[in-house]
Each structure stands twice: as structure tokens, then as C-alpha cells.
Amino acid sequence: MCRVGSANVADFSKPPDTLSYPQQLGIHLSVGLSGLIWSRYSTIVTPKNWNLFSVSLGMSATRIYQLARKARF
């Protein structure tokens, strides 16, 4: 999971026009929404799983940021 997140952060330095739109829309949207769902779930379960929350939220934030970069371009 860390490798996927770090690869997504490494893509921040790429110009938005070089990002693949079908990949961004399909994979990043589904993983971004999944990250939000898992973040919410991790705060509902007992005991609260803050590690899952932070990883899911970070993953979701980087994916949604990439989509926003592509949409602005």
C-alpha cells in the first residue's frame, strides 16, 4: 500500500497533460471513494482503528488531488 501511495505522490511532479485520463477517472475515482468509505468505517468500529483511518484518508486525498489536477487542466 505504501508503494502505491508513494507512486501517486511522485506523480505530483508530472505535468497534468501527461496523466492518462481514463486511468485517472477509473482507478483514482474508485480508490479515492473507497478510501473515504474505509476512513469512515475505521471510526465506527470498536476499538477505533486510527492507522486504517490515516492511511485511507491519505490515499483518498492523493487520488482526489490527482483528479482535480487533471480536471483543472
Side-chain angles (χ1 to χ4, degrees):
M1 189 62 109
C2 181
R3 189 177 303 175
V4 173
S6 61
N8 201 32
V9 171
D11 284 346
F12 289 168
S13 61
K14 288 184 179 179
D17 60 335
T18 62
L19 300 173
S20 168
Y21 188 72
Q23 179 188 11
Q24 293 292 319
L25 190 58
I27 294 172
H28 290 307
L29 183 61
S30 62
V31 172
L33 293 176
S34 173
L36 291 176
I37 292 168
W38 281 107
S39 295
R40 173 72 177 131
Y41 172 78
S42 68
T43 61
I44 294 174
V45 297
T46 305
K48 295 186 183 342
N49 190 339
W50 295 110
N51 289 329
L52 176 62
F53 175 78
S54 62
V55 168
S56 297
L57 194 62
M59 179 181 60
S60 181
T62 58
R63 301 294 178 147
I64 292 172
Y65 176 71
Q66 286 288 52
L67 280 174
R69 282 184 62 215
K70 185 65 177 178
R72 280 187 293 184
F73 179 74

